[in-house]
Amino acid sequence: MLLVMVSLLIERAYEWRRRYEPRALPRDLSVPAVPPRISGNPAAYFGPDVYPAEAARRGWEGRSSVAVIVDPAGVPTACEVTQSSGHAILDRTTCRMAMEHVRFRPALDRRGRPVSGIYHGFNVRWQLPSDAK
């Protein structure tokens, strides 16, 4: 019994982690009349405290561009890297932060009802502070 419970907990932990991993987005979503839009200022979530430690140690910088699927409630449900920074850890962190923190106004169909849609052009420029270089 205990082994089954531990096994289920481990499986759920891996599912949770995979949720934030970049992956290919479905190509069969209908095009909404109004695409999803960012709500608020996402730059507030990308300060020096979220810079991946490994990337900072190695002096890695770059620009990650991602596309995000936004559900009818405005919650991101999937993320795909559309332009890599050249460093997987920076790309993964961009997706993770977009999925965990950034909120959106959902796409709208022709009748003004919220629908799922893809937000394109979410760009993050990863740059170390000049004193960290």
Side-chain angles (χ1 to χ4, degrees), residues 64-110:
S64 297
S65 296
V66 299
V68 179
I69 289 188
V70 179
D71 74 8
V75 177
T77 59
C79 179
E80 175 182 299
V81 176
T82 56
Q83 182 181 357
S84 175
S85 65
H87 305 288
I89 193 165
L90 296 178
D91 299 337
R92 281 194 310 270
T93 302
T94 302
C95 273
R96 183 177 56 82
M97 296 303 290
M99 297 285 292
E100 287 179 356
H101 299 289
V102 179
R103 290 296 164 249
F104 297 84
R105 286 186 237 136
L108 302 174
D109 66 12
R110 297 197 188 292

Side-chain angles (χ1 to χ4, degrees), residues 33-46:
V34 177
R37 298 170 313 279
I38 288 182
S39 178
N41 180 10
Y45 303 113
F46 288 92

Side-chain angles (χ1 to χ4, degrees), residues 23-38:
R23 62 178 186 250
L25 300 181
R27 303 291 180 229
D28 58 352
L29 282 177
S30 60
V31 178
V34 177
R37 298 170 313 279
I38 288 182

Side-chain angles (χ1 to χ4, degrees), residues 44-62:
Y45 303 113
F46 288 92
D49 54 328
V50 297
Y51 210 101
E54 179 185 355
R57 271 193 314 276
R58 295 177 182 226
W60 290 345
E61 297 181 323

